[in-house]
Amino acid sequence: MVRRHELSDDEWDVLSGLLPRTGTGRPRRDDRVVLNGIVWKLRTGSAWRDVPERYGSWRTLYTRFRRWALDGTFTRMLEVVQAQKDAAGDVDWLVSVDSTITRAHQHAAGARKKGQVPAETAHAHALGRSRGGLTTKIHLACDGRGRPLGFVVTGGNTNDCTQFEQVLAQIKVRRPGPGRPRTRPDHLLGDKGYSSRGIRNYLRKRGIPHTIPERSDQQANRRRRGSNGGRPPTFDKERYKQRNVVERCFNALKQYRAIATRYDKTRESYEAALAIASLLMWI
């Protein structure tokens, strides 16, 4: 399959109405050309300076990307498209959660923040150090068709279960008219990394049915306690097979080389790259 580096006419028709309106002043570079340059950069993983001249000055691309990343433009665009799909009945609320680790390139380690020591800076920008070096972890929830509903970015040494509630809190699909956005899946699928009493209690309190396999050590501990160990949680093997959509979601996101390997120094830029890739998966 040949990967496209530019927006199709249909994609641009959707995105053009979601971009911030320009004010008065001198003419600026066309937004479609700029977005095409940004998508090209994310697809190839190239440096900003290496973006082809047909997209204009790399400084213009980088400046607009950073501006839209910091003011939440890409996140708002993603939320609008999700709301449109939900209104059309095109969201499968069988939600899967999981995480994936991406290697951080040495260029990603250069961000500094005034008043912070290097360890604090790495934490603020979602970088974690392990044997393999600096890594970033993407904690993600996707719908039953493998499209991202919400994500959280942390250092690669962060445990999955500690971010579970934060990931679900990112699911906020607005509905037509007044009222709160939809935040609750019809059913949730997770692997053994999410098998904890705290997570199961959290899901029960929110009335979210779930299929999460029990770890072997938890099974042994329950059997050792006998009748005091309680009943094992229900587990539907056939439904659990559908959890593979989250793996396919990660695979699609990592078709963008700037996501598969992190080059961005700041958390905001990397999250913006994820938002753009997620947005194009929804269109």
Side-chain angles (χ1 to χ4, degrees):
M1 182 179 67
V2 177
R3 294 182 301 172
R4 293 181 294 105
H5 296 324
E6 297 188 355
L7 302 174
S8 67
D9 291 338
D10 290 339
E11 289 171 337
W12 175 245
D13 288 342
V14 174
L15 299 179
S16 60
L18 304 178
L19 289 170
R21 300 298 178 185
T22 59
T24 58
R26 64 180 182 179
R28 67 174 193 168
R29 191 72 176 177
D30 180 72
D31 281 337
R32 183 171 186 175
V33 176
V34 171
L35 270 180
N36 280 333
I38 292 172
V39 171
W40 186 93
K41 192 270 181 194
L42 298 181
R43 279 288 197 187
T44 62
S46 301
W48 287 104
R49 292 175 182 270
D50 296 333
V51 177
E53 293 183 359
R54 66 178 179 270
Y55 299 119
S57 168
W58 70 268
R59 293 183 180 86
T60 299
L61 301 183
Y62 175 74
T63 299
R64 211 170 298 180
F65 171 78
R66 280 292 291 174
R67 182 189 307 139
W68 288 340
L70 293 174
D71 68 11
T73 292
F74 297 123
T75 301
R76 288 192 296 272
M77 293 168 70
L78 177 59
E79 291 173 350
V80 170
V81 171
Q82 289 175 341
Q84 292 172 347
K85 293 291 184 178
D86 188 48
D90 191 28
V91 177
D92 185 341
W93 285 96
L94 177 62
V95 174
S96 298
V97 293
D98 205 351
S99 70
T100 187
I101 291 179
T102 61
R103 181 71 179 271
H105 192 270
Q106 59 185 359
H107 293 169
R112 292 284 179 180
K113 194 169 183 180
K114 188 176 180 180
Q116 287 186 334
V117 298
E120 292 174 337
T121 301
H123 177 74
H125 292 296
L127 290 169
R129 187 173 294 279
S130 60
R131 279 186 192 175
L134 290 176
T135 54
T136 292
K137 183 176 282 190
I138 304 169
H139 307 262
L140 181 140
C142 72
D143 81 331
R145 299 181 183 178
R147 297 168 296 185
L149 287 168
F151 57 82
V152 171
V153 175
T154 67
N157 53 356
T158 303
N159 193 286
D160 290 359
C161 64
T162 62
Q163 301 300 310
F164 179 80
E165 293 184 25
Q166 288 84 339
V167 172
L168 288 193
Q170 295 300 310
I171 302 176
K172 300 175 183 177
V173 179
R174 296 201 302 260
R175 290 175 281 193
R180 298 177 180 178
R182 175 163 182 173
T183 62
R184 187 178 303 173
D186 288 337
H187 197 95
L188 185 133
L189 306 176
D191 64 14
K192 293 181 180 179
Y194 301 99
S195 179
S196 73
R197 181 176 298 178
I199 287 177
R200 294 185 192 276
N201 289 338
Y202 172 80
L203 292 171
R204 290 191 189 100
K205 288 179 181 178
R206 294 192 62 196
I208 300 175
H210 54 279
T211 300
I212 301 174
E214 195 177 27
R215 298 198 310 267
S216 58
D217 63 315
Q218 294 173 331
Q219 294 174 1
N221 184 54
R222 180 170 41 77
R223 287 194 296 266
R224 185 169 56 250
R225 296 178 62 190
S227 59
N228 293 327
R231 291 180 298 179
T234 57
F235 180 71
D236 188 336
K237 289 184 179 180
E238 291 302 315
R239 174 164 275 174
Y240 187 70
K241 292 178 181 179
Q242 300 178 61
R243 199 191 66 83
N244 68 83
V245 296
V246 71
E247 305 296 346
R248 301 205 303 267
C249 178
F250 284 132
N251 182 58
L253 287 173
K254 288 186 176 182
Q255 294 301 307
Y256 294 81
R257 291 186 178 182
I259 292 176
T261 300
R262 174 175 168 176
Y263 300 97
D264 294 298
K265 290 179 170 59
T266 67
R267 177 198 295 265
E268 296 85 2
S269 290
Y270 192 63
E271 288 176 339
L274 282 167
I276 294 171
S278 300
L279 181 60
L280 295 178
M281 288 173 64
W282 276 99
I283 297 177

